[in-house]
Amino acid sequence: MPSNKSVSDAPIVQFTNCRILRDHRLQREDLWVREGKILNPEKLFFDEKGSADVQLDCKDSIIAPGFIDVQINGGFGVDFSLATDDFKSGIDLVSQKILSHGVTSFCPTLVTSPPSVYHQVLPQITVRNGGAHGAGILGAHLEGPFISKEKKGAHPEHCLRTFEAGAFQDLLATYGSLNCVQIVTLAPEMRRSSEVIRELTKRGICVSLGHSVANLSQAEEAVQHGATFITHLFNAMLPFHHRDPGIVGLLTSDKIPAGRRVFYGMISDGIHTNPAALRIAHRAHPKGLVLVTDAIAGMGLAPGRHTLGQQVVEIDGLNTYIAGTKTLSGSVATMDTCVRHFQEATGCSAETALEAASLHPAQLLGIEHKKGTLNYDSDADFLMLNDSLYVQATYIAGEEVWRQDVSGM
């Protein structure tokens, strides 16, 4: 069919015979892509009198936005909290490998580390678009070191820090630079945390509450100063108590500023959070749930000893512990596994499960105008999945970057 190229010479690809996740439901319509963006077919037909150059039969697949992982510490033997000479090749390896999990964008996460590690590693993380080389990098997630000693979890105690007189300057001195930082996790009960939250928010950095013994009023105050996220809900925080529900109480708090939504991360691997707790959180605040892997270097590797920053961890099946203890230390779950477990544990729709790994993290980071949806003019980062939500193919900017090897199935 001839196409009118009055607007662009780039080829137009039409994905047919599919169900597209758009406006919170799966809709039987075609997906049109040109120059890495999702096209509005009506404008194409009526304004340009154009048509497709290529048609691809999706064989009744689901097409959903690519997954966005805002908390991933590494994988495949690579630890983002270790300063190595070949750090760049390590981050490239992870970004390439997670394409098979449906992840098209991510925030490499550093756990509590000495200042020297931040100073060496952060300049080597650059925000970049995804492509055949791997998933896009949205910026770093710095989890610690300004967290609670009581709820340090797998974070090394000797590296923890507090805010002194020049609170924000302390943070800058510790990290060295905030140029590529997207999220900072801190404990809001720490003295002077409010001014730090305000300063980070002013710079467009998302502040997350975690590894904390904060009560509800301290958590609410942090949100009023600009915090918008909770790091792995239930893990590394005070357990829910009916007289003071702590950070967990933010899910139903009436002190959240008007027009603001608090999001919360959940490690839906069947280990970090009991399915009943996952259901409670989801039913209390479904629109805030963000699936994260919290994956460590051992993801994708055989059981045994691996690292998480300054610590040695042991992997036993899907359990990961600090060596010699029963302290959980990140996960080895992949994002697509988390999506499927979330759907199974909560009984939610496929649409809901997929949006928790795509739309919600995009909304958290304020990038939903280009990522996390299949709306017209947004980036053509999407997945083909079967009805059981197994990823069959991953696309970034409209180009196929990974496909399931059917011969091996």
Side-chain angles (χ1 to χ4, degrees):
M1 290 169 71
S3 62
N4 180 316
K5 295 300 177 68
S6 59
V7 172
S8 168
D9 285 334
I12 296 165
V13 182
Q14 177 187 6
F15 294 82
T16 66
N17 189 16
C18 52
R19 289 157 292 154
I20 301 177
L21 177 56
R22 188 177 279 153
D23 296 330
H24 317 298
R25 60 192 181 90
L26 289 171
Q27 309 186 30
R28 190 163 282 286
E29 55 185 81
D30 295 350
L31 186 77
W32 297 73
V33 173
R34 177 172 61 194
E35 289 188 314
K37 301 284 181 188
I38 292 169
L39 279 182
N40 180 343
E42 285 192 9
K43 285 176 84 171
L44 175 67
F45 298 148
F46 296 115
D47 297 357
E48 299 183 41
K49 308 289 186 284
S51 56
D53 297 284
V54 181
Q55 286 187 326
L56 289 175
D57 182 351
C58 301
K59 302 186 169 71
D60 204 35
S61 295
I62 291 170
I63 292 191
F67 299 149
I68 299 170
D69 193 351
V70 299
Q71 187 175 9
I72 169 171
N73 310 290
F76 314 99
V78 176
D79 184 342
F80 298 146
S81 302
L82 284 186
T84 58
D85 292 339
D86 60 349
F87 181 86
K88 279 201 162 101
S89 60
I91 208 165
D92 288 348
L93 175 75
V94 175
S95 66
Q96 222 287 314
K97 293 271 199 178
I98 57 178
L99 294 174
S100 66
H101 309 157
V103 178
T104 53
S105 302
F106 71 109
C107 294
T109 304
L110 278 72
V111 296
T112 295
S113 304
S116 59
V117 169
Y118 297 114
H119 293 196
Q120 281 176 268
V121 169
L122 288 180
Q124 297 188 71
I125 296 177
T126 45
V127 174
R128 69 181 187 206
N129 293 326
H133 59 274
I137 297 173
L138 299 170
H141 177 170
L142 305 181
E143 187 187 1
F146 301 98
I147 57 173
S148 153
K149 191 162 66 173
E150 293 86 345
K151 291 292 176 184
K152 65 183 186 298
H155 292 237
E157 189 171 327
H158 70 277
C159 294
L160 299 183
R161 299 174 81 85
T162 54
F163 297 122
E164 302 307 324
F168 189 68
Q169 293 309 313
D170 294 342
L171 178 138
L172 275 179
T174 301
Y175 295 147
S177 164
L178 292 172
N179 287 345
C180 66
V181 176
Q182 182 72 258
I183 304 173
V184 171
T185 293
L186 53 78
E189 72 275 15
M190 295 180 81
R191 284 173 60 229
R192 301 190 178 87
S193 66
S194 292
E195 59 188 273
V196 172
I197 293 170
R198 281 197 302 270
E199 285 295 328
L200 288 169
T201 305
K202 209 186 288 180
R203 287 164 170 76
I205 294 170
C206 165
V207 175
S208 189
L209 312 179
H211 288 279
S212 161
V213 292
N215 59 34
L216 179 56
S217 65
Q218 289 168 324
E220 288 170 334
E221 188 184 341
V223 170
Q224 284 150 14
H225 288 300
T228 52
F229 195 39
I230 303 170
T231 296
H232 44 52
L233 188 78
F234 297 126
N235 295 112
M237 60 187 61
L238 291 179
F240 178 89
H241 189 281
H242 57 285
R243 279 194 289 276
D244 190 337
I247 289 177
V248 177
L250 287 175
L251 271 61
T252 55
S253 168
D254 58 0
K255 304 276 195 308
I256 307 299
R260 179 92 56 80
R261 185 186 303 177
V262 173
F263 293 89
Y264 58 96
M266 300 230 50
I267 309 166
S268 168
D269 61 355
I271 289 161
H272 277 78
T273 313
N274 184 284
L278 192 54
R279 288 191 286 274
I280 286 171
H282 178 245
R283 288 174 193 176
H285 185 25
K287 290 184 175 168
L289 193 147
V290 173
L291 292 177
V292 298
T293 61
D294 199 19
I296 62 170
M299 176 182 68
L301 301 181
R305 290 200 159 203
H306 302 282
T307 65
L308 176 60
Q310 311 296 303
Q311 313 265 49
V312 176
V313 299
E314 289 176 338
I315 297 176
D316 176 14
L318 279 178
N319 294 287
T320 62
Y321 303 110
I322 291 182
T325 76
K326 287 295 173 190
T327 301
L328 285 174
S329 56
S331 86
V332 287
T334 60
M335 184 58 92
D336 54 324
T337 304
C338 291
V339 169
R340 291 190 295 271
H341 179 262
F342 171 55
Q343 186 188 22
E344 186 186 338
T346 61
C348 72
S349 66
E351 291 95 328
T352 297
L354 292 165
E355 287 189 341
S358 54
L359 175 64
H360 295 177
Q363 290 172 328
L364 164 71
L365 299 178
I367 56 173
E368 69 273 24
H369 58 290
K370 56 181 179 176
K371 305 275 186 199
T373 77
L374 298 177
N375 294 341
Y376 303 139
D377 298 323
S378 61
D379 294 349
D381 297 355
F382 58 88
L383 315 173
M384 286 185 197
L385 308 105
N386 64 18
D387 285 355
S388 303
L389 303 189
Y390 282 85
V391 180
Q392 298 169 319
T394 303
Y395 285 75
I396 293 181
E399 300 287 334
E400 183 182 296
V401 293
W402 179 83
R403 179 167 286 277
Q404 174 72 49
D405 178 7
V406 192
S407 61
M409 287 175 74

